[in-house]
Amino acid sequence: MRRLLTLSLVLAFMAGCAHKGSTGANGAAGTRSGDGEMKDIGSFRLSDPEGPKVVDQELESIPTEVNPLVEKWIAYFQGRGRPHMERYLARSTRYEKLMKKVLRDNGLPEDLFYIALIESGFSSKATSHASAVGYWQFIRGTGKRYGLDINAFVDERRDPVFATQAAAEYFKGLYSVFGSWYLAMASYNVGENRVKREVMNHYTRDFWELARKRRLPAETINYVPKFIAAKLIAKEPDKYGFGEIDYLPPIEFDHITLDKPVNLRAMADKLNLNYEDFKALNPKYKGEVAPVKGSELVLRIPPGTSEQALIAANESVVQNVQFVADSGDTQVYRIRQGDTLSTVARRYRTTVAYLRDLNDLPRRKPLRVGMRIQVPDRTPLRSRSASQVAKQSKTETRSVSVSTDGRYYIVQSGDSLFTIARKYSTSVSELQRLNQIKRGRTLKVGMKIRVPTPDSSSAREATKSVAKAKAKVHVVKRGENLLGIAERYNVSMSDIKEKNKIRNPSSLMVGARILIPVAEANQ
């Protein structure tokens, strides 16, 4: 009880405490200098000796409790989620040694590595609907709070060393508050203040007890079981049916220190390296230019290429530092009157989160007319005026009225859409469509609503089944989202979600094949 009452005080100081990095015997990965600045790991080779293991047995192991929730997630990864898990496992070996070294140097359990698996699938480009970015899915504010550099040129949330160091500091602070790895993970997902409040209100530090009482959001209740399931599968892939994974080779690199900014594409060309491979060693840079921070620039290079890299870097120096996007990825868009990030994102078939991340736009920063921002390099959807949209809406409403003209019903006391739908052998969604009733709107006594005739209802069901039978396949490309795909094929996003059983549109992956439930798609 006494310890529970100290949570508020500890949380108030947690941000400050979490900035104190610890070092291993040979220097910790991603530690801080005396002025609080994050320092890089330098070089990393598989042959490097491992730092000391964690001595504290409580910190060394994270409990592995298997229960029905964990078994549910194991079944998901073995079934519908198998393609995702196979992709995540294949990437895991690229970062496992590196990230576990950072965790070990910070005195933390190496198994926290599997948090990155469920957060991002080990993708530096992962971006959530809430604008969380990178391997450990930090939002902008939390990233800066833990010392990550985020600006127009650099985003260290995308760097496997810096982001893992920040995550390690965050987890150290969370564990010091709750004394439970499960609650620390729940806090990482939903925020420490929410978990603290539930712990204090219910006098328990048992995550499973809070989960049984549904005192946490559904996503958070599933977060810990998902982690346990992912850890079990990753540690024993053969046991769970993942024995045929084509694993990526582990990342290794040396580094060079420069005092001038360079163009990474030009440098890669001079080193005869594939630009994407070179950029993968230095993923924190948003574009082609790597600027100097303070008085130096540290670049990662393939092992054993220091001399060639120094020569190539000196021949790739940039005089005037300005943002240069990766070729073919983006173009410049000039903000016009009435533009919002939402309308621009819709026009270029992308997301607001992607535009914020690409242009380093904080949530509260307004758009100004004439402002130039980077957008995906693709042909924009033709914009329509408000009058055109209103005119189309009236036409669609009129056509619906003609095609379904039949009976009206006057709402009586005690009626609901469900009781009316049952009375006329139709569905709630059909009544909502016919009357343009939004979900959650209440019916008023005396309200006049349209109900389908038996003929029109059956004809519509037949048309719907034909349309489903003639569905097209679309392969998701980089920068696309569900809204843009729906607009391209002139169908509703809800129809695509229903057809493909998509619960979370933000989870759409590049290369995924989705069915477009229409008979005639606009190409």
Side-chain angles (χ1 to χ4, degrees), residues 42-83:
S43 300
F44 179 76
R45 302 282 189 97
L46 294 178
S47 57
D48 291 344
E50 286 192 359
K53 293 282 186 181
V54 177
V55 176
D56 191 328
Q57 292 298 318
E58 185 181 18
L59 289 178
E60 191 170 58
S61 65
I62 296 175
T64 304
E65 182 174 335
V66 179
N67 56 34
L69 275 176
V70 175
E71 291 170 346
K72 182 193 79 171
W73 277 103
I74 291 175
Y76 167 78
F77 287 131
Q78 291 173 325
R80 191 156 56 91
R82 186 180 187 87

Side-chain angles (χ1 to χ4, degrees), residues 341-406:
L341 277 183
S342 179
T343 60
V344 175
R346 187 160 56 246
R347 190 175 186 204
Y348 286 91
R349 304 188 292 287
T350 186
T351 64
V352 171
Y354 176 78
L355 291 180
R356 285 192 187 282
D357 176 54
L358 182 64
N359 295 280
D360 190 39
L361 294 172
R363 284 183 175 273
R364 297 180 182 178
K365 183 174 182 179
L367 296 182
R368 301 186 309 276
V369 174
M371 181 180 180
R372 297 176 185 274
I373 65 172
Q374 297 289 327
V375 297
D377 187 16
R378 57 169 67 102
T379 305
L381 294 173
R382 194 170 61 184
S383 58
R384 299 179 296 173
S385 66
S387 60
Q388 287 175 315
V389 173
K391 185 177 179 181
Q392 180 181 347
S393 177
K394 286 182 179 179
T395 303
E396 289 174 350
T397 303
R398 194 179 302 118
S399 66
V400 168
S401 299
V402 171
S403 62
T404 61
D405 198 8

Side-chain angles (χ1 to χ4, degrees), residues 214-475:
R214 299 190 179 280
R215 301 312 308 170
L216 297 169
E219 179 185 341
T220 307
I221 290 173
N222 280 282
Y223 192 78
V224 172
K226 187 177 182 181
F227 162 80
I228 295 173
K231 182 178 79 167
L232 290 172
I233 292 172
K235 287 194 165 189
E236 296 184 278
D238 291 338
K239 176 179 176 180
Y240 294 96
F242 290 88
E244 302 297 326
I245 303 297
D246 187 14
Y247 290 101
L248 293 177
I251 188 173
E252 293 185 275
F253 50 82
D254 286 339
H255 76 283
I256 56 173
T257 303
L258 310 169
D259 58 2
K260 294 179 181 178
V262 300
N263 184 293
L264 297 175
R265 186 178 292 277
M267 184 174 169
D269 288 342
K270 295 181 186 301
L271 283 170
N272 292 320
L273 293 175
N274 178 281
Y275 173 64
E276 295 300 328
D277 292 341
F278 186 44
K279 191 74 179 289
L281 291 177
N282 300 277
K284 70 179 183 178
Y285 299 109
K286 291 184 174 181
E288 294 183 4
V289 175
V292 172
K293 182 179 180 181
S295 60
E296 66 179 26
L297 165 64
V298 178
L299 285 180
R300 296 177 189 144
I301 57 174
T305 62
S306 298
E307 291 184 8
Q308 306 95 297
L310 284 170
I311 295 172
N314 288 327
E315 294 175 352
S316 306
V317 170
V318 175
Q319 299 301 329
N320 297 316
V321 178
Q322 57 183 359
F323 181 79
V324 180
D326 290 335
S327 300
D329 285 347
T330 64
Q331 59 182 314
V332 175
Y333 176 78
R334 189 169 177 268
I335 298 297
R336 305 168 187 170
Q337 187 71 35
D339 275 342
T340 65
L341 277 183
S342 179
T343 60
V344 175
R346 187 160 56 246
R347 190 175 186 204
Y348 286 91
R349 304 188 292 287
T350 186
T351 64
V352 171
Y354 176 78
L355 291 180
R356 285 192 187 282
D357 176 54
L358 182 64
N359 295 280
D360 190 39
L361 294 172
R363 284 183 175 273
R364 297 180 182 178
K365 183 174 182 179
L367 296 182
R368 301 186 309 276
V369 174
M371 181 180 180
R372 297 176 185 274
I373 65 172
Q374 297 289 327
V375 297
D377 187 16
R378 57 169 67 102
T379 305
L381 294 173
R382 194 170 61 184
S383 58
R384 299 179 296 173
S385 66
S387 60
Q388 287 175 315
V389 173
K391 185 177 179 181
Q392 180 181 347
S393 177
K394 286 182 179 179
T395 303
E396 289 174 350
T397 303
R398 194 179 302 118
S399 66
V400 168
S401 299
V402 171
S403 62
T404 61
D405 198 8
R407 295 177 288 182
Y408 285 94
Y409 177 80
I410 306 300
V411 176
Q412 308 295 317
S413 178
D415 275 341
S416 67
L417 282 179
F418 176 75
T419 60
I420 298 170
R422 187 168 58 182
K423 185 181 296 185
Y424 287 94
S425 301
T426 185
S427 65
V428 171
S429 60
E430 178 70 1
L431 291 179
Q432 289 173 327
R433 187 189 70 81
L434 284 176
N435 297 278
Q436 297 183 343
I437 298 174
K438 294 183 178 179
R439 187 175 294 178
R441 180 182 169 187
T442 56
L443 300 181
K444 295 181 180 179
V445 174
M447 182 179 179
K448 189 178 181 181
I449 66 171
R450 190 183 302 278
V451 293
T453 62
D455 290 342
S456 64
S457 180
S458 59
R460 202 158 26 251
E461 288 301 318
T463 303
K464 188 176 179 182
S465 63
V466 170
K468 283 189 174 183
K470 296 183 178 180
K472 288 181 173 289
V473 176
H474 176 84
V475 180

